[in-house]
Structure formats: structure tokens, C-alpha cells
Amino acid sequence: MTIKNLSFVLLTVLSFIWGGCDNEDTSGDSYADIIMQVSETTVWESVWGSNVPMEYMLVKEPSDTEWQRLVMGSIEGFEYVQGHAYELKVRKTTLANPPQDGMNCTYRLIEILSDTQPDTPVTPEEWPEEAKFKLKMVQLTPFMYLDTPLAAPFDLLTFRILDHRDEYTPFGNPEFLQYYDSIVMSSPVMPDTYSILQRKKGDSGTSESYTSQWSSYFFEKSDFLISLKGYKDGEVKYEYTIEQIMRERDFLGIDWERGSIAVANPQTHTIYCVLDTRYEFLLTNTQQRNNTPFVEIRVAAASHLTDAENLQRQEDGLRWLLTKYLEKTSETTASFKTLPEDASIVETYGNDTTRVALLHFEGDDFHEECYYLIAEPK
């Protein structure tokens, strides 16, 4: 073999070695270039062990189905501007030896793929005063009988749309409706929208649907923004935004110490969210077994799915709820005081005040196979 050919072979081998190691360095860290979505909204939460709140960006990596919190300034080379939504190309490095109290990943900006500025409604001088509206949460109905001004997940919240004078029109159409084709409720942390006003033109004329008061449960435990946007000819002409304050209790909207217990005839509540329609939950009033309070949580069946598909939907929905609020544990049946005898534990979860079991019931002559949760205090 000639020296020239030998040099070519060596270069080829080295190129292969270098090329095969481009996602790992000598420290054992691994990296990948990913596309990351950054929401136009941020959240403030207290740091563990401290009452001092910190601001977090809301981000999604390709594998995420929900927004994840990321401490402001965690993406090297990226400066977040309030109210802007971004699509970024970033280098994600997974640390082989992360710091004990730190993140196991770091991020470095490669490129800003898109920078979307917020919709800019017309200025008050350009838009008539009588065209403006307001959104207000007017009633909080806790899941349990509690005297509290703060909402929690699975509490029912009732909203109203008011005119610029803060006046409510329960019947008929307020003056501001004439300025819009539609008025839509949305939130940057939730996937769906809810129509307050909708006008549609058809062969037989124009149809209109309008509601001045509506209710919803929410699956969020952190404060979030809710907006009403008024559209005309496909453009946002006016927007009103409020911040909904949310505080989780012991678990969801449950307060084990102060909450009420249904001694007889417990009711089952259908828990839905108009801005997140992926799942509807069935939550039974707090009951008592072995002198211990507990609740049952199930996933409502979808009429368009088969029995097998609904069974999978139950399991997926309950796991989605559990991982959103609790940490996975390794407790056994002996740890629980309220488990029924006819169900087996699939997984257990918990926090400082609550333990939860994901149960599987195989079914019998009277009841179908199902998954459900039992939650009780520690």
C-alpha cells in the first residue's frame, strides 16, 4: 500500500471515529440539537424551601405534550422578551454528573427560528369605549365545603363578560357585541379555546351564539393567564386578560383536615375544563373507611371509543393527572387504610400530605373492568 493510500485510510478511520462521537464528549456528557418552543407567558413559583418566588419560562421539547417550567436565563445566549413566543434551535447537553441540587441538562442557543410578537389590539383612541369588554371570575365553588377565597384544581369557577362600565347583561345582547364576529376565551398554558360569541354566515342568513356567563374546572395548580379576544374579519380588535390565582391544597382541591366528609350518599362530580378537553374526570365526594377519609377519581368514558380504547384512556388520563401533581412512590397495600379488597395496585404516588394508589379492577358480572384512583391522607 502506498503512503498516499495509507494516509487516505487513516483519515477515513479518524473521520469515522470523530463523526461517531459528535453527541458525546470526554466527560461523559451527551448532547443533541433540538427544536424548543417557548411560550409567550411565564409563571412565578416559590423555590423549594424558600418563600421567594422565581420566574420560569414555559417551554416544550419535541417529546413534551405539556408546557414545562425552565428557570429564566437557563438557555445560554438567549434573552427572553416578555410576551413573545419563540421557536428555538438549541443544543441540549445531558450531564453525566449533574450538581446535587441543579439541573441534569443545560441548554445553549443555536438559532432563533421564529419570534412571534403578541397580538396588538388597537389603541383605546382608535377603538370606541363602548366596544370594550371585561372578564371577571364571579363565583368560586370549592370541591369541598371550605371557606376560601383562593381557587384550587378541581374547584368550579364561574366567569362573566362585562361591558366597559363593569355592567352585566344576563339577558339580551350588550352593546359591545356589534363590534365583533367572535369573542374567544384562551390561555397560553392550555391547548383549547372556548367561544363566548360566534357569528356564522350561511345560505339561510347569519346565526349567532352568545353566552354571558359560563363555568369551568381547571387542572392547573399554578397561577395562569386567561384572555378574552374579540375578533373582527379575522383580526384581534380588543383583548382583556386576567390572572387566575390558583393554590393546590393537600391534593388537588382536597383539604384533609378542614374539608367535609359525605357520611351517606356521596355524589360524583364531573370535572371538565373548557380550555383543556383531553380528559373529563369523575370525582366522588370525600368518604370515610376505617376512620380515614378518602376520595375516588375516575376518567369519564368517551362515547366514540370502544371498551378497550376507553380502558386505555382511563389508565392514560389517571397517569397524566398523577404525574402532574405527585411523585411516584414504592408503597404497598399495607401503607393504605382505605383500599377496597377487589382491586390491585398498579402504581403508587404521593406528596407530603397524601398517598394515592392507581388501581386496576378486573371486572365481574355486574361491573366492567376499569382503572381508578384512591387518595387518602398520610
Side-chain angles (χ1 to χ4, degrees), residues 224-269:
F224 59 92
L225 299 180
I226 305 177
S227 296
L228 280 188
K229 295 180 181 180
Y231 289 83
K232 182 69 175 179
D233 299 326
E235 295 183 1
V236 176
K237 294 298 184 180
Y238 187 72
E239 178 179 353
Y240 190 87
T241 300
I242 63 172
E243 182 177 30
Q244 180 58 54
I245 307 299
M246 300 290 285
R247 293 293 183 269
E248 186 183 13
R249 300 188 186 115
D250 290 328
F251 173 54
L252 300 173
I254 300 164
D255 186 318
W256 296 119
E257 291 188 2
R258 299 187 300 131
S260 57
I261 295 176
V263 179
N265 302 319
Q267 294 183 343
T268 298
H269 307 263

Side-chain angles (χ1 to χ4, degrees), residues 298-317:
R298 302 174 185 261
V299 173
S303 58
H304 65 283
L305 299 180
T306 65
D307 290 345
E309 289 171 335
N310 266 312
L311 187 64
Q312 185 62 56
R313 184 171 182 268
Q314 290 173 17
E315 185 178 7
D316 292 344

Side-chain angles (χ1 to χ4, degrees), residues 45 147 159 289 330:
E45 289 192 3
D147 182 15
F159 298 87
R289 184 183 290 150
S330 57

Side-chain angles (χ1 to χ4, degrees), residues 173-235:
N173 291 343
E175 185 178 4
F176 60 79
L177 291 190
Q178 64 181 303
Y179 292 90
Y180 305 101
D181 299 323
S182 64
I183 299 176
V184 177
M185 179 185 183
S186 64
S187 173
V189 300
M190 292 176 225
D192 302 321
T193 60
Y194 181 72
S195 179
I196 308 304
L197 168 71
Q198 187 67 54
R199 289 194 176 98
K200 294 182 179 179
K201 293 182 180 180
D203 296 337
S204 58
T206 301
S207 62
E208 177 182 308
S209 61
Y210 168 67
T211 181
S212 60
Q213 179 171 294
W214 63 98
S215 299
S216 179
Y217 302 83
F218 292 98
F219 308 145
E220 302 300 317
K221 61 180 179 180
S222 302
D223 303 345
F224 59 92
L225 299 180
I226 305 177
S227 296
L228 280 188
K229 295 180 181 180
Y231 289 83
K232 182 69 175 179
D233 299 326
E235 295 183 1

Side-chain angles (χ1 to χ4, degrees), residues 93-212:
T93 301
T94 303
L95 304 177
N97 297 295
Q100 185 174 0
D101 297 323
M103 296 169 50
N104 63 352
C105 296
T106 62
Y107 301 92
R108 179 171 61 82
L109 178 67
I110 297 175
E111 181 183 359
I112 297 178
L113 301 177
S114 67
D115 177 357
T116 305
Q117 299 187 27
D119 293 330
T120 305
V122 294
T123 61
E125 291 76 21
E126 296 173 332
W127 202 239
E129 194 71 18
E130 63 270 17
K132 300 175 186 178
F133 51 76
K134 297 181 180 180
L135 173 66
K136 186 176 183 180
M137 195 271 281
V138 295
Q139 185 175 355
L140 160 64
T141 306
F143 162 65
M144 311 177 89
Y145 294 106
L146 294 168
D147 182 15
T148 175
L150 296 178
F154 283 24
D155 289 346
L156 182 64
L157 308 185
T158 300
F159 298 87
R160 284 179 180 173
I161 186 170
L162 311 174
D163 66 15
H164 68 287
R165 302 186 188 91
D166 291 329
E167 293 179 355
Y168 171 57
T169 305
F171 305 105
N173 291 343
E175 185 178 4
F176 60 79
L177 291 190
Q178 64 181 303
Y179 292 90
Y180 305 101
D181 299 323
S182 64
I183 299 176
V184 177
M185 179 185 183
S186 64
S187 173
V189 300
M190 292 176 225
D192 302 321
T193 60
Y194 181 72
S195 179
I196 308 304
L197 168 71
Q198 187 67 54
R199 289 194 176 98
K200 294 182 179 179
K201 293 182 180 180
D203 296 337
S204 58
T206 301
S207 62
E208 177 182 308
S209 61
Y210 168 67
T211 181
S212 60

